[in-house]
Amino acid sequence: MKNITVIGSGTMGNGIAHTFAQFGYLVSLVDINTESLEKGLSVISKNLDRQVLKASISEDVKVNTLKNIQTYTDLKLAVQHADLVVEAATENESLKMKIFADLDKYCPAECILASNTSSISITKIASSTKRQGLVIGMHFMNPVPLMPLVEIINGYTTSSQTTSAIIDLAKKLNKTPVVVNDYPGFVANRILMPMINEAIYTLYENVAGVIEIDTVMKLGMAHPMGPLQLADFIGLDVCLSIITILYNGFGNQKYAPCPLLVNMVAANQLGIKSGSGFYKYEHGNKDLVVSDKFAR
């Protein structure tokens, strides 16, 4: 594999494009408009600058990484020579189904189609194509250039050859691939999201405050980030979407999303991306400050 197309230039998409390009792959980065692509490239450039500053890469590597990325708003043009497409669009099932149906029409016959979905069924996504054996999940962790894990999800009809190819590719990116099967939430989010949801319930039921909950988990369980801060980092809308998929997939009340989370998403209190969630994220503020709603 040499030519990689990444669909979506948001947080995950630009991180995936950055990582492939840094390791010498030719990346076609696709989004719906040039403004989104320019923003994505700007983030990649700033993240590369941080790597140079920390001496983890050289200035030459930064320059070559940026040279390896081309941007497109035309999906058909972007995938015409693709060996692999990694879809990192919004976590919306109908949108992903439409994208994969289009990819099936436009991509070379041997091209592998991967989704970075964190919870949507790979088997369901694959059903929108005529190449189900070549469809797989490639779930990177945020921030992609730094996090070592790639959760590789086999759909019901994913071929063993496709799985082997993606395992080998992940290793070439200096990632650790872990292969899992296609059930709601896979492994990462099946375990993580109920914990986050329970932390929100703990706040909702006034067992403890935001700082107290996060401090217990950081100091008592050696988590690098408390679950409420992590939820803000992921995006509360994304958390709600994944928890809802778990709830619908398993039909078990233990996965029911906390009403507080539902209300916060409805109020557009989404965490870092909206400037406020369980904490406030003001420009230049490096200290965690609890949102006014939860201040004690």
Side-chain angles (χ1 to χ4, degrees):
M1 293 186 195
K2 187 65 177 176
N3 298 303
I4 312 296
T5 298
V6 178
I7 299 175
S9 59
T11 300
M12 295 304 297
N14 69 58
I16 294 167
H18 172 159
T19 301
F20 274 108
Q22 185 178 321
F23 281 84
Y25 293 88
L26 302 178
V27 177
S28 298
L29 182 60
V30 189
D31 215 316
I32 57 174
N33 57 59
T34 55
E35 291 79 12
S36 296
L37 290 165
E38 288 169 0
K39 183 178 179 181
L41 283 177
S42 175
V43 171
I44 292 171
S45 183
K46 289 176 182 175
N47 288 338
L48 287 165
D49 285 338
R50 290 192 186 97
Q51 289 178 285
V52 172
L53 191 62
K54 293 178 179 178
S56 59
I57 63 170
S58 67
E59 184 67 29
D60 285 345
V61 170
K62 175 196 168 181
V63 171
N64 288 330
T65 298
L66 293 172
K67 282 182 179 178
N68 285 338
I69 302 172
Q70 288 190 311
T71 59
Y72 296 85
T73 55
D74 185 327
L75 179 63
K76 187 175 182 180
L77 189 62
V79 301
Q80 61 182 335
H81 302 300
D83 300 310
L84 168 70
V85 177
V86 182
E87 170 273 317
T90 303
E91 195 74 349
N92 177 286
E93 184 179 291
S94 60
L95 174 63
K96 291 184 187 294
M97 297 282 284
K98 172 65 167 60
I99 289 171
F100 273 75
D102 288 341
L103 291 173
D104 195 39
K105 288 186 292 185
Y106 300 147
C107 290
E110 68 280 4
C111 179
I112 294 175
L113 308 181
S115 178
N116 182 60
T117 180
S118 55
S119 59
I120 297 171
S121 169
I122 298 300
T123 305
K124 183 71 177 291
I125 291 171
S127 71
S128 65
T129 78
K130 295 177 182 177
R131 61 176 84 194
Q132 296 186 28
L134 291 172
V135 179
I136 196 166
M138 200 174 187
H139 180 206
F140 291 86
M141 306 294 141
N142 185 32
V144 180
L146 301 180
M147 296 292 279
L149 175 68
V150 180
E151 189 178 33
I152 296 173
I153 306 103
N154 280 329
Y156 190 77
T157 51
T158 303
S159 73
S160 58
Q161 292 89 346
T162 297
T163 305
S164 295
I166 296 302
I167 289 171
D168 290 344
L169 180 62
K171 290 177 179 177
K172 289 174 182 176
L173 299 174
N174 282 350
K175 303 295 186 187
T176 300
V178 176
V179 179
V180 306
N181 290 319
D182 187 21
Y183 292 94
F186 317 133
V187 170
N189 282 313
R190 181 170 178 169
I191 295 169
L192 174 64
M193 285 301 158
M195 183 192 74
I196 286 176
N197 196 42
E198 194 62 30
I200 299 171
Y201 264 115
T202 303
L203 177 65
Y204 175 63
E205 294 171 357
N206 200 31
V207 177
V210 171
I211 293 291
E212 289 78 8
I213 293 167
D214 277 355
T215 300
V216 166
M217 296 307 290
K218 285 191 290 185
L219 301 186
M221 310 303 167
H223 291 189
M225 185 183 295
L228 300 178
Q229 184 187 358
L230 179 57
D232 278 354
F233 183 71
I234 294 168
L236 301 191
D237 53 339
V238 176
C239 292
L240 178 59
S241 174
I242 297 170
I243 292 166
T244 301
I245 286 170
L246 291 172
Y247 183 50
N248 292 337
F250 292 115
N252 191 315
Q253 192 63 29
K254 75 177 182 177
Y255 297 108
C258 179
L260 174 58
L261 175 61
V262 174
N263 281 343
M264 291 179 73
V265 172
N268 200 41
Q269 300 295 297
L270 308 179
I272 290 175
K273 69 174 76 175
S274 68
S276 180
F278 295 106
Y279 296 91
K280 292 190 287 190
Y281 302 94
E282 297 173 351
H283 181 67
N285 181 21
K286 295 183 179 180
D287 297 320
L288 279 178
V289 178
V290 175
S291 291
D292 295 339
K293 182 77 173 176
F294 305 113
R296 292 191 164 195

